[in-house]
Amino acid sequence: MTSAQLRIAVLVPCYNEEAAVATVVADFRRALPSAEIYVYDNNSRDRTAAVAREAGAIVRTERRQGKGHVVRRMFADVEADVYVLVDGDATYDAPSAPRMIDRLLDDHLDMVVGLRVDQVQAAYRLGHRTGNRMLTGFLSSTFGHDFKDILSGYRVFSRRFVKSFPVLSDGFEIETELAVYALELSLPVAEIETPYYARPEGSFSKLNTWRDGFRILGTMLKLYRSERPLRFFTVIGILLALASVILAIPIVITFIETGLVPRLPTAVLSMGLMIMALLSASSGLVLDTVTRGRREMKMLAYLSQPSLKRDGG
């Protein structure tokens, strides 16, 4: 299958992007002439949907608020061979899309992430840059892969990835979930440097550095709990066991010296903490078995989709 024969869908989730969405549609129309461009309006209070429709995009709506809900609907509704997911704020470089698609096809990948390279200082706020680095480092240390920009909103996917990916997030945590899913199943992925621009005049970011940062961190902890339960609950068990031992040491020493247990409530607390530690470790073992079964089901869903290859590939 050649690039010209591919069904390419450009997916653009939008919320109040009247000032930028026409530029996004026009840029991707030039970069990918054969692609179908879908703009999903997420309860915008401005003319986002009308402007996108006038620019030639296929406009649909998602009433549940949040980027995760929009991505879930887009992945479920749109049929294509290759999917390009990009924000509707005109900060990402449309001419990089063919290069990202070529990398996806040539290397038989399932996801290519646009690694953002600032073109102006105002494009990427310091708080967002710092938070991205911290969260990326946490993800790398937790799941064992060196993503450099897990929060990029510019990605290219294979059909296999899109149709087997169970979207669970509601908001901007979706980027983190996409990365964890790929790492969990050891899917072939890559990052490509792409220019990153400042928003056009009249367009405003919906991100809140602290609020969304904590939401993303919370999502990563939830994913760590669900995908690495043995480690998660073992760590909790170790902490509880240490607290139990620390409380028990003076009681044991007193008992050896006098044969009495004068601090009965502390002894009961220590025993309770140790029981909780054992229960936590046991829960981790049980949930680890469940997680392995879930991972096998996800892999089967992934493998049920045909692979995408170029002619002679």
Side-chain angles (χ1 to χ4, degrees), residues 187-239:
L187 303 183
V189 299
E191 289 180 310
I192 289 183
E193 290 188 352
T194 60
Y196 187 65
Y197 303 101
R199 280 174 169 268
E201 186 176 353
S203 176
F204 303 96
S205 174
K206 289 78 180 175
L207 290 173
N208 180 286
T209 301
W210 291 104
R211 181 196 64 204
D212 291 310
F214 281 122
R215 286 186 64 181
I216 292 168
L217 181 59
T219 297
M220 294 181 71
L221 291 174
K222 290 177 183 177
L223 290 169
Y224 184 61
R225 180 192 63 193
S226 62
E227 305 303 334
R228 301 288 188 272
L230 183 58
R231 296 182 190 175
F232 183 85
F233 287 101
T234 297
V235 169
I236 294 177
I238 290 173
L239 294 176

Side-chain angles (χ1 to χ4, degrees), residues 16-219:
N16 292 341
E17 295 293 358
E18 176 184 356
V21 67
T23 300
V24 174
V25 174
D27 288 349
F28 276 91
R29 179 69 67 206
R30 285 191 295 269
L32 300 169
S34 63
E36 290 187 323
I37 301 177
Y38 296 84
V39 171
Y40 274 67
D41 180 54
N42 193 207
N43 302 316
S44 296
R45 294 187 297 271
D46 59 11
R47 297 185 63 252
T48 294
V51 171
R53 192 174 289 110
E54 291 168 3
I58 300 170
V59 179
R60 296 177 179 173
T61 59
E62 171 53 52
R63 296 301 180 191
R64 289 172 295 179
Q65 196 65 42
K67 186 176 180 181
H69 290 305
V70 181
V71 171
R72 182 185 299 112
R73 176 55 55 196
M74 291 190 297
F75 282 7
D77 288 353
V78 178
E79 297 294 329
D81 299 311
V82 173
Y83 297 80
V84 180
L85 178 66
V86 64
D87 291 341
D89 53 11
T91 57
Y92 293 100
D93 183 59
S96 297
R99 184 162 52 95
M100 295 170 69
I101 293 173
D102 287 340
R103 180 69 181 276
L104 184 87
L105 298 174
D106 292 340
D107 293 350
H108 307 295
L109 305 177
D110 285 305
M111 179 172 69
V112 176
V113 180
L115 175 60
R116 292 172 286 185
V117 179
D118 305 351
Q119 301 304 296
V120 293
Q121 187 64 31
Y124 204 179
R125 285 184 284 174
L126 179 61
H128 291 171
R129 188 197 312 272
T130 303
N132 190 18
R133 288 176 178 172
M134 293 174 62
L135 293 171
T136 299
F138 178 80
L139 180 72
S140 298
S141 62
T142 302
F143 292 94
H145 189 86
D146 191 18
F147 270 108
K148 296 180 181 178
D149 188 2
I150 65 166
L151 301 183
S152 173
Y154 194 13
R155 298 167 188 253
V156 173
F157 304 98
S158 68
R159 178 181 175 84
R160 259 186 168 182
F161 189 107
V162 166
K163 293 305 180 181
S164 65
F165 175 58
V167 184
L168 302 177
S169 301
D170 297 334
F172 286 100
E173 317 93 280
I174 183 64
E175 281 90 3
T176 304
E177 190 181 357
L178 288 165
V180 170
Y181 177 75
L183 297 177
E184 176 194 9
L185 297 185
S186 300
L187 303 183
V189 299
E191 289 180 310
I192 289 183
E193 290 188 352
T194 60
Y196 187 65
Y197 303 101
R199 280 174 169 268
E201 186 176 353
S203 176
F204 303 96
S205 174
K206 289 78 180 175
L207 290 173
N208 180 286
T209 301
W210 291 104
R211 181 196 64 204
D212 291 310
F214 281 122
R215 286 186 64 181
I216 292 168
L217 181 59
T219 297

Side-chain angles (χ1 to χ4, degrees), residues 244-283:
S244 174
V245 170
I246 291 171
L247 291 173
I249 287 175
I251 298 173
V252 172
I253 292 175
T254 301
F255 178 76
I256 292 174
E257 292 176 346
T258 66
L260 301 174
V261 182
R263 289 176 289 182
L264 184 60
T266 303
V268 172
L269 175 61
S270 175
M271 181 179 65
L273 289 173
M274 186 58 70
I275 292 173
M276 291 173 63
L278 294 174
L279 288 174
S280 180
S282 300
S283 298

